[in-house]
Amino acid sequence: ITLRAAVVSGASGAAALAAQDPREWATQDLKAQRDEWARHSLSEVSRLGGLESTCPQCGGKAILETGNSAAYKMSKAYAHYRCMELTCGRETHQKE
């Protein structure tokens, strides 16, 4: 019986197999390589301008860019946060 047929017929363990994350099936070497790829990708993204700061949403590491935007008669200061955490990743824009 093929794996697909066993899962469709409701064989024992089918629910557990369906709930598994396929990334768990990888070898330790492949898992380490994937982690390295993720770190490398984040380091490439973080090379953009800005200071390292704290994310106002999750408290993790964020890139902070500040500046002034044109407004009627008076310029307004702003702060733009880009979270670098994998679990958050939000962008927050604060005006003063």
Side-chain angles (χ1 to χ4, degrees):
I1 297 178
T2 65
L3 176 62
R4 183 180 187 286
V7 171
V8 170
S9 69
S12 63
L17 179 64
Q20 284 183 354
D21 185 359
R23 291 176 289 187
E24 294 175 1
W25 303 339
T27 63
Q28 293 301 323
D29 292 338
L30 185 55
K31 288 178 184 178
Q33 182 66 43
R34 287 178 177 162
D35 289 341
E36 178 61 31
W37 289 335
R39 279 192 300 279
H40 180 70
S41 297
L42 281 176
S43 70
E44 285 181 351
V45 172
S46 66
R47 287 186 195 148
L48 300 175
L51 302 171
E52 193 172 303
S53 184
T54 304
C55 175
Q57 300 290 327
C58 71
K61 187 169 112 177
I63 300 297
L64 169 64
E65 296 175 358
T66 59
N68 292 319
S69 61
Y72 182 70
K73 291 189 179 181
M74 182 183 286
S75 66
K76 303 285 183 177
Y78 69 87
H80 188 82
Y81 295 87
R82 280 183 291 141
C83 186
M84 303 307 294
E85 301 295 328
L86 291 173
T87 56
C88 180
R90 295 183 183 152
E91 292 192 16
T92 306
H93 192 80
Q94 297 177 347
K95 296 180 183 178
E96 295 181 15

